Every structure is written in structure tokens, then in C-alpha cells.
Amino acid sequence: MPQPALPISQIAHLLDVPEDALRTLMAERRSAGDTTLVALTVAEAARRIGIGRTKLYEYVSTGEIASVKIGSLRRIPAEAVNDFLARRLSATDFGAAA
């Protein structure tokens, strides 16, 4: 018979950390997603870059970011996100920003 889960306050006490810090860490872990995925949904890729889904779909339709169709699903290879950001970084003129 499984043991009931400990309340977060007890876990924080046992770990000797503030309860709010433990809750923050748990929330960050839940929102981080699975970093082992090799293909991301458009929403996951957009969240990873920090832009909206609509803007990412725009980049997909213009070919600025690679994507693949798997059945009826659209997926963005995880390395395509990094490649996209690297290209954007090298194309950016930081001297023009004020």
C-alpha cells in the first residue's frame, strides 16, 4: 500500500529550505518542459524562444525556421531552434540598438 504524499511544507522543512523557494522551484520545473525532446510542438518551440505561436508560424511559413510534418502534426526540430537563434544573433547589429 503506497504511503500518502508529504505536504510541501513538511518536505521544505526536511530539506531545510524555505517553503516558498521550494514552491518556486517546483513551478519552474513544471513549466520548463521536457528538455530531452528532439522535436517540439510549435507552442513548445515558441515558448523556448520567448515569442508567440503566431510569430513562430510566420517563421515556419517563410522557411526561417525548419519544421517537419509528421502525419497531421507540425514539429520543430530542437536543433532548428538553436540554429534559428544563432542566425538571428549573427544577423543582428548590436551597435544600432540604443
Side-chain angles (χ1 to χ4, degrees):
M1 190 162 160
Q3 294 281 345
L6 290 174
I8 292 176
S9 58
Q10 272 188 302
I11 295 169
H13 177 72
L14 292 169
L15 294 173
D16 195 28
V17 296
E19 183 178 343
D20 60 334
L22 182 58
R23 287 184 185 278
T24 300
L25 177 63
M26 291 171 64
E28 288 172 359
R29 290 296 216 173
R30 274 193 298 269
S31 67
D34 186 353
T35 58
T36 63
L37 294 175
V38 295
L40 308 168
T41 65
V42 171
E44 290 167 337
R47 191 171 38 254
R48 209 173 259 197
I49 296 172
I51 60 175
R53 283 182 1 180
T54 304
K55 189 64 176 176
L56 189 64
Y57 272 115
E58 182 182 311
Y59 290 139
V60 166
S61 67
T62 62
E64 287 188 62
I65 189 163
S67 70
V68 294
K69 197 86 163 155
I70 303 172
S72 63
L73 306 173
R74 173 73 55 193
R75 293 293 181 258
I76 312 293
E79 63 271 5
V81 172
N82 296 334
D83 294 344
F84 170 78
L85 291 174
R87 281 193 314 276
R88 298 292 289 208
L89 183 62
S90 66
T92 302
D93 179 15
F94 287 105

